Amino acid sequence: MTRPLPFGRTADHEPADLADAMDKVAHGDKQAFSALYDALAPLVFGIVLKVLRDRAQSEEVAQEVMIDLWRQAARYRSEAGSVTTWAATIAHRRAVDRVRSAQAAADREQAQAAREHRPAFDEVSEQVETRLESEQVRRCLRGLTELQRQAVTLAYYRGLTYREVAEALRTPLPTVKTRMRDGLIRLRDCMGVTA
């Protein structure tokens, strides 16, 4: 099915008026461009909208196409095709260029974001490291005397004070302090921690 043109003809038989209007536009005739605009703008907009699918962008690109038709009117050659075909080709190319430009911009933004992205905290690695450290602490605790191990465990894993540890172990406070200090030194050496 052919689409009717504003001059009352079909695309197969484009009116000479449109070609004449294009010739006049090539010579700077603003009234001829006005008639050309009225005839081609709906077609141009429809083509652009089909490609872009965004009304605001389509209006902008269609306007750019119409400006191109004004500026490039002298390049039009009737032997190469009809005015509508020429306008449709320019419209389609412009719309595709806009899509490509938008895609390129999105790709650049994505690449920039990837360059700026800091690697996420590696939970698995951290869990493995924590587990290994915990195992090392348990191994080192087994190397302490019974009183040292109990004092350190009560103080660091249960949060008891020296006095509370002394009461829990029924041991004099100075003895608990000495055992804890000696136990912590042995733990530090076993774990390879430098002071």
Side-chain angles (χ1 to χ4, degrees), residues 18 34 54 66 102 126 133 155 164 188 193:
L18 207 50
S34 180
D54 177 78
M66 296 310 295
E126 183 64 24
E133 287 175 357
E164 291 169 335
R188 181 193 68 201
V193 177

Side-chain angles (χ1 to χ4, degrees), residues 2-13:
T2 58
R3 184 176 181 160
L5 292 172
F7 286 99
R9 306 276 174 89
T10 64
D12 296 337
H13 306 292

Side-chain angles (χ1 to χ4, degrees), residues 109-127:
E109 287 176 14
Q110 189 175 13
Q112 180 65 26
R115 284 191 297 273
E116 292 175 355
H117 177 70
R118 301 282 185 252
F121 178 72
D122 188 355
E123 279 186 50
V124 174
S125 174
E126 183 64 24
Q127 287 175 356

Side-chain angles (χ1 to χ4, degrees), residues 33-60:
F33 180 69
S34 180
L36 190 71
Y37 190 98
D38 291 343
L40 296 177
L43 171 73
V44 166
F45 178 73
I47 290 169
V48 172
L49 183 61
K50 245 182 187 173
V51 174
L52 296 180
R53 297 187 184 123
D54 177 78
R55 190 166 191 83
Q57 278 193 41
S58 297
E59 288 172 358
E60 184 180 318

Side-chain angles (χ1 to χ4, degrees), residues 49-161:
L49 183 61
K50 245 182 187 173
V51 174
L52 296 180
R53 297 187 184 123
D54 177 78
R55 190 166 191 83
Q57 278 193 41
S58 297
E59 288 172 358
E60 184 180 318
V61 172
Q63 191 67 27
E64 291 171 6
V65 170
M66 296 310 295
I67 291 169
D68 278 353
L69 293 178
W70 169 261
R71 290 181 181 159
Q72 297 180 26
R75 292 184 180 175
Y76 170 70
R77 298 289 175 256
S78 59
E79 59 274 4
S82 69
V83 173
T84 26
T85 301
W86 188 60
T89 301
I90 293 172
H92 187 264
R93 285 182 184 158
R94 273 291 189 139
V96 169
D97 286 348
R98 177 64 66 98
V99 169
R100 287 180 180 153
S101 175
Q103 184 61 49
D107 291 347
R108 279 191 304 275
E109 287 176 14
Q110 189 175 13
Q112 180 65 26
R115 284 191 297 273
E116 292 175 355
H117 177 70
R118 301 282 185 252
F121 178 72
D122 188 355
E123 279 186 50
V124 174
S125 174
E126 183 64 24
Q127 287 175 356
V128 168
E129 190 174 321
T130 301
R131 193 168 291 152
L132 290 173
E133 287 175 357
S134 296
E135 184 56 42
Q136 185 178 8
V137 168
R138 282 191 287 277
R139 183 177 47 78
C140 291
L141 278 173
R142 286 192 294 268
L144 301 179
T145 66
E146 184 64 29
L147 185 57
Q148 288 172 335
R149 185 173 46 255
Q150 288 175 339
V152 169
T153 301
L154 289 172
Y156 286 92
Y157 292 107
R158 294 205 182 149
L160 301 181
T161 65

